[in-house]
Amino acid sequence: IIFLILFLSEILLRIRENVKIKEMLNTMPYFIPHHFLNYALNPNVIDHNSLGFRGKEISISKKNGTYRIFCLGCSDVYDSRVSQEDSYPYILNEILKKTIYSRPCEVINAGVPGYTSANLFILFQFKILPLSPDMIIITAGFNDILPRIMGVGSFDYTGFNRAWKPVSVLRRILFASMISQKIIGRIGEYLRIG
C-alpha cells in the first residue's frame, strides 16, 4: 500500500510540476540550450542583457579607461533569491563608483545557476575573454563538490553535466537523502583515517 501511495503521489506531482514548468518556460525561459555549456542564460529575460549576463546592457568593446571586472560563478553569484540591485556584483559596482574617482569601473554579473568550474572555464574562454576583462572574481563551490560526492570520477564532469531538465519532488527528496548519506559516509571515513 505504501508503494502504491508513493507511486500515485509521484505521478500526480509530475503532472502538476510539468504543468508549472511549462507555464514558467512559456512566460520566462531563464535558460536556453548552448552547444558547449548544455545551457546558458537567456538574453531575452528582463534581468539579462543581450550578451546573456544578469544586469544592465554592456558594450562589447570597453570604453577607454574603464576597468572591467567580471564576477564569475554559479547561483551564489547570480543569486536569484534577491533582486539584481541586491546581488553582490551590483553592490560591488556601486561601491567602486563611489570610492574610485580616477577611473570608471564596470562590474558584470557572470553567474549562472548550476555551473561547475568546468562550465565557468568554458564561459570564460568563449564569452568573457572577448570582452577584455581587467579582473575576474571567481566563486565556485557546491556545484564542484557534488560530482565528487556522487563519485563521477571524470576530471571534466562529463558524467555529471547534463542538459537542464525538470526533476520531480520525490526524486529531489531521494537525491537529497542520498547526498546526505554520502556526505555522512565521507565524514565517517575521514574521522576513522584521522
Side-chain angles (χ1 to χ4, degrees), residues 48 50 79:
H48 302 169
S50 62
D79 207 350

Side-chain angles (χ1 to χ4, degrees), residues 54-56 71 77 83-97 107-109:
R54 186 177 190 198
K56 64 182 177 69
C71 297
V77 175
S83 69
Q84 175 190 326
E85 292 77 20
D86 291 328
S87 67
Y88 99 77
Y90 186 91
I91 293 169
L92 176 62
N93 192 48
E94 293 303 304
I95 291 169
L96 292 174
K97 275 186 197 176
V107 180
I108 294 124
N109 185 337

Side-chain angles (χ1 to χ4, degrees), residues 3-174:
F3 175 75
L4 182 61
I5 291 171
L6 287 173
F7 180 74
L8 292 174
S9 299
E10 173 73 14
I11 290 171
L12 290 174
L13 287 171
R14 278 185 189 216
I15 292 169
R16 192 177 117 234
E17 190 169 326
N18 283 338
V19 168
K20 281 183 181 178
I21 288 169
K22 284 178 184 171
E23 286 172 5
M24 184 186 78
L25 290 176
N26 288 335
T27 58
M28 291 183 155
Y30 283 95
F31 305 105
I32 55 173
H34 190 277
H35 50 284
F36 293 125
L37 296 164
N38 291 329
Y39 64 93
L41 294 180
N42 185 348
N44 298 318
V45 172
I46 293 171
D47 271 358
H48 302 169
N49 61 36
S50 62
L51 297 175
F53 297 114
R54 186 177 190 198
K56 64 182 177 69
E57 279 300 320
I58 58 170
S59 61
I60 293 173
S61 58
K62 189 170 49 171
K63 293 177 187 169
N64 278 345
T66 300
Y67 193 77
R68 189 174 266 184
I69 301 170
F70 279 86
C71 297
L72 187 60
C74 53
S75 55
D76 293 337
V77 175
Y78 181 89
D79 207 350
S80 60
R81 298 165 296 190
V82 298
S83 69
Q84 175 190 326
E85 292 77 20
D86 291 328
S87 67
Y88 99 77
Y90 186 91
I91 293 169
L92 176 62
N93 192 48
E94 293 303 304
I95 291 169
L96 292 174
K97 275 186 197 176
K98 292 174 185 171
T99 57
I100 299 176
Y101 300 103
S102 61
R103 191 170 187 188
C105 196
E106 191 176 43
V107 180
I108 294 124
N109 185 337
V112 181
Y115 273 16
T116 63
S117 57
N119 297 117
L120 297 177
F121 179 71
I122 295 167
L123 180 68
F124 174 73
Q125 287 288 344
F126 291 103
K127 284 185 81 174
I128 294 174
L129 270 181
L131 298 173
S132 306
D134 294 299
M135 179 187 288
I136 306 289
I137 300 172
I138 301 173
T139 308
F142 186 73
N143 296 339
D144 282 310
I145 295 168
L146 189 59
R148 302 291 181 216
I149 292 170
M150 297 299 294
V152 170
S154 62
F155 69 93
D156 63 355
Y157 301 112
T158 51
F160 183 73
N161 271 342
R162 294 192 180 98
W164 194 282
K165 62 181 181 180
V167 179
S168 72
V169 173
L170 183 59
R171 284 186 187 221
R172 283 187 210 141
I173 292 168
L174 292 172

Side-chain angles (χ1 to χ4, degrees), residues 149-150 173-189:
I149 292 170
M150 297 299 294
I173 292 168
L174 292 172
F175 182 71
S177 171
M178 183 177 65
I179 293 296
S180 62
Q181 288 174 0
K182 291 232 179 208
I183 291 171
I184 291 168
R186 294 283 169 104
I187 291 171
E189 288 174 20

